[in-house]
Amino acid sequence: MSRPKKALTPEQVKQRLRMQGITTTQWAEARGYTRNEVYRVLNGQAKAHYGKAHDIAVALGMKLADDQPTSPAEPRNPQKRVA
């Protein structure tokens, strides 16, 4: 599946898979995911902010690769200390 410039909706992803003649299970197995993980992303049960769910959403085209949140380790208001 090529990466679209705009993120797809879950219904658009399902329609695209149907047009390609492959099942969600086939798509998942071909990429090393379980069908349950993929269905959780498609059905909105996994929010896909990070981790494997995020990877699946990017691969499906539901999120753009650069839609990653900032690292929680980064401070929100960094201030320099004066010694």
Side-chain angles (χ1 to χ4, degrees):
M1 211 179 270
S2 62
R3 300 258 154 76
K5 294 188 188 270
K6 283 191 170 185
L8 300 174
T9 65
E11 192 55 43
Q12 290 171 322
V13 171
K14 292 175 188 178
Q15 182 180 11
R16 183 175 278 185
L17 290 174
R18 279 191 299 270
M19 289 175 48
Q20 293 175 349
I22 60 173
T23 66
T24 305
T25 301
Q26 290 170 330
W27 185 93
E29 289 175 354
R31 285 155 183 82
Y33 303 119
T34 67
R35 64 176 268 182
N36 287 342
E37 291 169 333
V38 175
Y39 276 115
R40 287 178 52 79
V41 172
L42 283 173
N43 295 329
Q45 294 167 330
K47 299 304 176 193
H49 294 299
Y50 51 86
K52 192 179 282 191
H54 182 268
D55 295 341
I56 292 169
V58 170
L60 287 169
M62 293 174 61
K63 287 190 171 224
L64 303 179
D66 56 345
D67 280 353
Q68 295 182 11
T70 58
S71 170
E74 296 176 14
R76 292 185 182 170
N77 294 320
Q79 297 177 355
K80 293 183 179 179
R81 291 187 176 187
V82 179

